[in-house]
Amino acid sequence: MSAPKTTKPYPNSFERKLVIECFRRNYMEMKKDILYLCICTVVCLLQSSCISQPVDSVEMFVTTADRTKDFAYAIIPFSDVASVEDNVPVVVIDSAVRYQQIDGFGAAITGSAAYNLMRMTPDERSAFLYETFSSNMKMGYSYVRISIGCSDFSLSEYTCCDEEGIENFALTDEETEYVIPVMREILSINPSVKIMGSPWTCPRWMKIENLENKKHFNSWTGGHLNPLYYNDYAAYFVKWIKAFEEAGIPIYAITPQNEPLNRGNSASLFMGWKEQSDFVGKALGPAIKAAGMRTKIYIFDHNYDYDKIEDQKSYPVRIYENENASSYVAGAAYHNYSGDREELNRIHDAYPDKELVFTETSIGTWNDGRNLEKRLMRDMREIGLGTVNNWCRGVIVWNLMLDNERGPNREGGCRTCYGAVDIDKSDYSTIIRNSHYYVIGHLSSVVKPGAYRIASGGHKADGLVYGAFVNPDKSYAFVALNDAAEERSFFVSDGECIFQCVLPPRSVASCRWNRKNI
């Protein structure tokens, strides 16, 4: 029997770094207009060897909690079905049983994240963004969340219309000097990245103290949106979407308000379910439709337990019950700062035709966020596989990049948060990759936008959690977590192909392979 054909092997991490370093040393002295060409050359070289793999095999990425394997790449051969004994543990995946379609996985490009990225040298920033966003190299992040106006991780408090009158709308320096340049670079790497926008506050001139006394409320923190300004605020969204699209940044989705039940953030606005229902149904939805936009609206955008506010429980369901408002709504967005992710299943069961997305989570000093030994296992279980296996189409973590002093940050915002990665502000070069970076990367590297989650089951073991997917190109993806102190070995079968999956103790693995009969 002749040996199976193979293509050019995937370079290991040392070889890849060597290629990039050689080019980096050469182009650091070149003019700026040559820089992009050099980076493209590196990408082409890497793509020519990265995309292909031996025939009849599985691509596999592995990260261990102790970092002995750091997104390590391996090629796993298929096994001979006849040689697999009947009593071995097997996970069976079934593409005939499909659940939700996948939009993507990613992180937030806040003002702070964009500021840190722009402080890097152009070559090092480009290398990091390629590693993170390229669909042909490593991580393949495919979703980004940005703020509409400021967030608690912006360089200052602001909106895009601080002077009274919607005719005074304009983008600010934070967008034009930081967020937009970074987003353009990301889209040049991966044009299919989806972008979601969320406001932390409306302009202060639109705020009132409460819906009863309707007194003007001139504060960035708290207050309510004055119903008299519903149409102006809807126009604000439309203008913001158009401004970003004119800058070459299409907006896939928006939420009407980040954390609408949080009155205490440095920039915030309380918007109970009835207010949001009225705003979406009477103003925001009609305005987006009248503008001919296809931007999706996801409601809520807050915690699983509705911040324990009794009359706000089942927030999305209350809005879905309003037929007019519901007609403009794609689904609901959730965070996990409090409550249980089982709420995702409950909301899906109530309205299975509505979508679910997970839009924010953070690590920080309060949860030992830089301790990969502790965080990788929990975050993959709760945030990665935990949300996707509970009907979420997308998963987005908070700041992609903060500095080593958890900033830039502002008083009243989070001063204890870490980023998915943290960069040393003494050189804006040295990067620490934290659990959220790996959680998203292990999903986005093998599960591509347009994929479907499919059935998987059979083998069970303590600490073993997994999910399976079929991609638009008909390749399969399998993502697994082993939270046990010992190695887990089992087979994975798609009904045609079978391979052995060996997971080191306390590790995460991602696999992707082509179906035989396609």
Side-chain angles (χ1 to χ4, degrees), residues 68-139:
T68 55
K69 290 185 181 292
D70 188 339
F71 214 74
Y73 181 83
I75 293 176
I76 310 299
F78 286 138
S79 301
D80 182 355
V81 176
S83 68
V84 178
E85 297 180 4
D86 291 339
N87 60 347
V88 299
V90 179
V91 172
V92 177
I93 67 175
D94 183 0
S95 62
V97 180
R98 299 192 175 196
Y99 304 105
Q100 81 276 22
Q101 193 171 30
I102 301 299
D103 282 337
F105 308 96
I109 300 295
T110 59
S112 296
Y115 173 85
N116 288 325
L117 285 161
M118 292 302 288
R119 293 297 300 273
M120 299 175 74
T121 62
D123 57 311
E124 291 187 332
R125 179 177 65 251
S126 294
F128 171 75
L129 291 177
Y130 271 111
E131 171 194 328
T132 305
F133 288 95
S134 174
S135 58
N136 294 318
M137 287 175 59
K138 265 201 164 183
M139 299 290 186

Side-chain angles (χ1 to χ4, degrees), residues 119-178:
R119 293 297 300 273
M120 299 175 74
T121 62
D123 57 311
E124 291 187 332
R125 179 177 65 251
S126 294
F128 171 75
L129 291 177
Y130 271 111
E131 171 194 328
T132 305
F133 288 95
S134 174
S135 58
N136 294 318
M137 287 175 59
K138 265 201 164 183
M139 299 290 186
Y141 278 37
S142 49
Y143 219 146
V144 165
R145 186 174 180 232
I146 59 179
S147 62
I148 300 175
C150 73
S151 73
D152 54 323
F153 275 95
S154 291
L155 306 181
S156 65
E157 286 94 353
Y158 74 93
T159 71
C160 296
C161 195
D162 286 337
E163 183 178 350
E164 185 170 349
I166 196 62
E167 68 275 8
N168 295 311
F169 177 94
L171 297 180
T172 71
D173 289 348
E174 182 158 316
E175 284 92 18
T176 58
E177 295 183 13
Y178 297 106

Side-chain angles (χ1 to χ4, degrees), residues 191-203:
S192 65
V193 166
K194 292 180 174 66
I195 299 148
M196 174 182 286
S198 301
W200 266 239
T201 178
C202 64

Side-chain angles (χ1 to χ4, degrees), residues 304-360:
Y304 294 140
D305 66 354
Y306 311 98
D307 274 18
K308 300 180 174 63
I309 303 174
E310 191 64 32
D311 65 359
Q312 297 300 322
K313 289 183 178 179
S314 299
Y315 190 117
V317 170
R318 303 287 189 89
I319 296 177
Y320 296 155
E321 288 169 349
N322 180 325
E323 186 175 345
N324 177 55
S326 182
S327 68
Y328 297 109
V329 173
Y334 278 87
H335 303 179
N336 76 332
Y337 297 114
S338 59
D340 192 310
R341 56 183 162 84
E342 184 58 31
E343 181 67 6
L344 297 169
N345 284 328
R346 195 179 74 82
I347 297 300
H348 170 78
D349 290 346
Y351 281 86
D353 292 337
K354 293 296 188 183
E355 300 173 5
L356 288 167
V357 288
F358 184 84
T359 48
E360 189 182 316

Side-chain angles (χ1 to χ4, degrees), residues 27-76:
Y27 66 58
M28 279 183 69
E29 302 301 322
M30 296 181 181
K31 292 182 179 180
K32 189 175 181 181
D33 60 341
I34 302 298
L35 174 63
Y36 184 72
L37 176 61
C38 291
I39 294 171
C40 289
T41 304
V42 174
V43 174
C44 289
L45 284 172
L46 287 168
Q47 286 180 350
S48 67
S49 58
C50 293
I51 296 174
S52 52
Q53 66 184 91
V55 175
D56 295 336
S57 66
V58 180
E59 289 185 306
M60 186 176 187
F61 297 96
V62 178
T63 299
T64 55
D66 63 5
R67 295 187 193 264
T68 55
K69 290 185 181 292
D70 188 339
F71 214 74
Y73 181 83
I75 293 176
I76 310 299

Side-chain angles (χ1 to χ4, degrees), residues 232-294:
D232 278 351
Y233 197 36
Y236 176 93
F237 278 83
V238 171
K239 286 177 178 289
W240 183 86
I241 294 169
K242 285 182 177 178
F244 268 76
E245 290 183 344
E246 288 169 0
I249 301 167
I251 303 301
Y252 176 75
I254 56 170
T255 66
Q257 175 60 38
N258 171 72
E259 298 188 350
L261 306 180
N262 180 359
R263 298 179 185 270
N265 210 338
S266 61
S268 54
L269 178 77
F270 188 90
M271 186 180 279
W273 68 263
K274 189 176 187 312
E275 294 170 80
Q276 191 159 120
S277 181
D278 287 345
F279 174 57
V280 170
K282 296 176 181 179
L284 182 60
I288 288 178
K289 182 178 180 180
M293 296 175 170
R294 301 180 66 182

Side-chain angles (χ1 to χ4, degrees), residues 213-229:
N213 66 30
K214 296 186 178 178
K215 290 181 179 179
H216 178 56
F217 191 73
N218 189 32
S219 173
W220 292 113
T221 301
H224 293 249
L225 176 62
N226 189 336
L228 294 177
Y229 291 120

